[in-house]
Amino acid sequence: MHKTFQEYLCAEEIDYQLENEFDFGIILNAIREHLHDAHWREVLLLLIAQQKPKNAAKAIRAVLNNGNEYEEWLHRDLFFAGNCLAEDPKGLRGADGELVQEILEKLVELEIGNDKQVGWVIHQQVQEILCNLHETNFEAQALEMLKEKANLINEWRLWKYQAELGDKNKEIEGLLEKLKNDDYFMRWNAVIALGELGKNSETIVNTLLALLQDENPFVRRSAATALKKLGENSETVLNALLAKFQDDNFDVQKGTAIALGKLGNGLETIVNSLLEMLKDKDSTIRMSAATALAYFDKNSETIVEDLLAKLQDEDSLVRGRAAFALGKLGKNSETVVEALLIKLQDEDSLVRGWAATALGKLGKNSETIVSNLIAMLLDEDYSLCRWITLALGELGNCSETVVSKLITLLLDENYSARDRAAKYLGKFGKKSNNILPTIVQWIQEHQDSEYLGSGIDALWYLVVGEEN
């Protein structure tokens, strides 16, 4: 009954029918009927990969030329063809080298496109497919094509490609060497790349720890983020991150707080240190401590009570971060909800926005919460209205007013707002037949927009789903 066996046996059965009836149309029919059906994905990949070279080429070309709806924006036929290459069909280049070249060229063309124009989701799909060509007969060809466009590719993405499709150890050595460069921008990008490569070693960790003291705040924050991505939670690293709460740069404090929250999760000593920092006389340290506690799964009464107390802090940033943390912790108690509802009336619009965001994350879709949030949509503060809209989206409110404002947010300058608006529109599209044509029309009307990609992301979430 295991799904993997079902997929394998289904592919074997179709292949048996093909050989028994000498009719290649059986595979082509399976592609036409089931391409992009999630239940059939592995079946088709298995089926195509086990064909002889010329038949595999015919099948992949049928995928590439399938003419899927919205292909010009979503590229699903191209992505499936790319995934077929990742299965490494034997002899494919000899059977149809032009097909391989065409698929790789189209993938690289999307890679060099701007995120804001192509869409974040599309870029992620491209990166995943190209990296999956590792140890196939196509990796060298793909890497060479990427290098030819090196000046058009984000530097750390290029480093990732070079590491995945080439010699990872050699690439890491190159990155470590770049960290010695006097140009902070070079160091900054090298740190980001090390975090993305995900290779953990004593040398890399010690280098990143040293960079927590770098003269440039971008490098310091990126070093903390890289340590978080590497999952390095040794006592040395955790203590170094705690020390950076004293950093004189606000963004560095915030970055190290998030890293510490992720890495120190569940450690009693770290929790106690953060709770003590919530009482510090320096407001930025109190703010950082609240930020870090937001990422703890350990949802103790002590943490919640101390954060509730910080909702009354004299500093608005501390109040805002405390509200954010309460939402992230997910303690959906009556006390927490009531306290956050009160903060919707805070004198500072930033605090009101964080309180709204927290109520959205708690997911308690009560009439009182929704009515309070909808009333705030009349506020003249655009930034506040943005976060109120997203909170209502988190609560699943897909009223005409909210959907209309979410569509407006697809053109917002804030990436997080655009991304979340796209996801909510995708989720609501399952409940309303009107959203899909509205998004398609939006894309058609914004072909030259700087933020076209946000509409394409929304279409992806509508048609394919967030989980894919």
Side-chain angles (χ1 to χ4, degrees):
M1 295 302 291
H2 196 285
K3 186 180 178 184
T4 301
F5 288 115
Q6 293 179 29
E7 291 167 340
Y8 170 75
L9 292 170
C10 182
E12 285 292 304
E13 171 62 20
I14 296 173
D15 193 49
Y16 173 79
Q17 291 176 19
L18 165 65
E19 292 185 3
N20 190 50
E21 300 181 25
F22 299 100
D23 181 7
F24 189 71
I26 291 173
I27 285 185
L28 297 180
N29 285 336
I31 290 171
R32 277 192 294 270
E33 292 177 17
H34 303 297
L35 189 62
H36 307 313
D37 180 336
H39 295 293
W40 281 78
R41 172 186 166 83
E42 295 303 322
V43 175
L44 294 178
L45 288 173
L46 284 167
L47 184 61
I48 292 170
Q50 66 188 11
Q51 298 305 305
K52 292 179 180 178
K54 288 186 178 179
N55 280 350
K58 288 179 186 177
I60 295 173
R61 194 166 283 284
V63 169
L64 190 61
N65 297 327
N66 178 60
N68 182 61
E69 193 173 15
Y70 314 124
E71 181 65 14
E72 64 179 303
W73 301 311
L74 300 185
H75 312 286
R76 297 173 72 197
D77 296 339
L78 171 63
F79 292 159
F80 200 95
N83 281 314
C84 288
L85 294 188
E87 295 292 317
D88 205 14
K90 299 297 180 281
L92 181 63
R93 182 182 285 107
D96 195 340
E98 290 182 2
L99 172 64
V100 175
Q101 181 74 9
E102 181 181 354
I103 293 170
L104 293 178
E105 282 181 351
K106 288 183 175 180
L107 288 171
V108 172
E109 194 62 32
L110 286 175
E111 170 58 41
I112 65 177
N114 188 304
D115 253 352
K116 293 177 180 178
Q117 283 277 297
V118 173
W120 180 84
V121 177
I122 302 301
H123 255 168
Q124 292 305 105
Q125 294 290 318
V126 170
Q127 184 179 60
E128 182 179 335
I129 291 167
L130 288 172
C131 288
N132 283 342
L133 296 177
H134 174 58
E135 295 186 343
T136 69
N137 287 315
F138 314 108
E139 68 172 338
Q141 184 178 354
L143 182 57
E144 188 60 35
M145 292 170 70
L146 287 163
K147 285 181 176 179
E148 288 174 2
K149 303 286 186 179
N151 62 318
L152 300 174
I153 300 175
N154 177 283
E155 194 167 8
W156 68 259
R157 282 178 72 98
L158 181 61
W159 281 329
K160 185 173 178 68
Y161 284 132
Q162 289 173 327
E164 294 294 338
L165 302 176
D167 185 342
K168 180 173 279 194
N169 290 327
K170 181 179 178 181
E171 197 59 36
I172 288 174
E173 288 175 10
L175 290 172
L176 291 172
E177 192 61 33
K178 289 177 187 293
L179 292 175
K180 302 173 185 176
N181 199 292
D182 290 336
D183 185 348
Y184 88 87
F185 190 75
M186 184 73 74
R187 299 196 304 279
W188 179 30
N189 276 288
V191 171
I192 294 172
L194 280 173
E196 291 297 328
L197 290 177
K199 175 135 184 190
N200 198 340
S201 73
E202 186 176 349
T203 300
I204 292 174
V205 171
N206 288 337
T207 301
L208 292 173
L209 283 171
L211 288 170
L212 288 175
Q213 311 304 323
D214 193 274
E215 63 183 17
N216 186 275
F218 291 109
V219 176
R220 297 200 298 275
R221 174 167 179 166
S222 295
T225 301
L227 287 166
K228 178 192 74 175
K229 289 191 173 183
L230 293 175
E232 178 57 46
N233 64 347
S234 66
E235 185 177 349
T236 302
V237 169
L238 295 175
N239 286 334
L241 291 172
L242 277 171
K244 294 313 292 177
F245 277 40
Q246 306 286 345
D247 198 280
D248 58 6
N249 183 277
F250 177 84
D251 285 329
V252 174
Q253 285 186 339
K254 180 180 173 184
T256 54
I258 293 172
L260 185 67
K262 293 277 190 180
L263 295 173
N265 199 349
L267 297 177
E268 201 68 36
T269 54
I270 300 298
V271 173
N272 291 336
S273 295
L274 292 172
L275 290 175
E276 193 61 34
M277 286 181 173
L278 275 180
K279 305 169 187 174
D280 197 278
K281 63 180 180 180
D282 186 333
S283 63
T284 62
I285 291 179
R286 299 198 301 276
M287 179 275 297
S288 295
T291 301
L293 287 167
Y295 295 90
F296 276 72
D297 290 336
K298 189 177 175 60
N299 192 351
S300 73
E301 291 296 331
T302 303
I303 292 176
V304 172
E305 286 174 8
D306 283 19
L307 287 171
L308 281 170
K310 291 295 113 180
L311 289 178
Q312 311 304 323
D313 196 277
E314 63 184 7
D315 188 281
S316 61
L317 283 176
V318 178
R319 298 198 302 276
R321 283 292 164 178
F324 165 74
L326 287 166
K328 282 281 280 184
L329 288 171
K331 183 73 171 179
N332 199 350
S333 69
E334 189 175 337
T335 303
V336 171
V337 170
E338 286 181 358
L340 290 171
L341 280 170
I342 292 172
K343 288 292 107 180
L344 290 179
Q345 309 302 323
D346 193 275
E347 63 183 9
D348 190 293
S349 64
L350 178 69
V351 178
R352 299 198 296 273
W354 280 121
T357 299
L359 287 167
K361 288 189 175 298
L362 290 176
K364 190 170 183 178
N365 198 351
S366 73
E367 187 176 336
T368 302
I369 293 175
V370 171
S371 61
N372 272 273
L373 292 176
I374 288 179
M376 293 175 70
L377 286 176
L378 300 175
D379 196 292
E380 294 181 1
D381 186 329
Y382 173 78
S383 181
L384 176 59
C385 286
R386 168 206 291 159
W387 300 117
I388 296 296
T389 300
L390 294 175
L392 287 164
E394 189 86 53
L395 290 170
N397 186 294
C398 55
S399 65
E400 189 175 335
T401 301
V402 173
V403 169
S404 176
K405 285 190 174 290
L406 286 172
I407 291 173
T408 301
L409 288 182
L410 293 177
L411 294 173
D412 196 276
E413 63 181 11
N414 184 286
Y415 164 73
S416 176
R418 297 197 307 274
D419 180 56
R420 288 172 62 193
K423 288 179 179 177
Y424 297 146
L425 287 167
K427 182 169 66 175
F428 296 159
K430 307 293 188 277
K431 304 175 184 178
S432 170
N433 295 326
N434 297 325
I435 293 180
L436 179 57
T438 301
I439 295 301
V440 171
Q441 183 180 350
W442 187 96
I443 291 173
Q444 292 169 337
E445 292 174 353
H446 292 81
Q447 288 291 339
D448 298 323
S449 167
E450 181 184 4
Y451 300 128
L452 170 64
S454 297
I456 294 174
D457 284 346
L459 184 62
W460 179 278
Y461 293 133
L462 273 164
V463 175
V464 183
E466 185 177 349
E467 66 278 4
N468 296 313

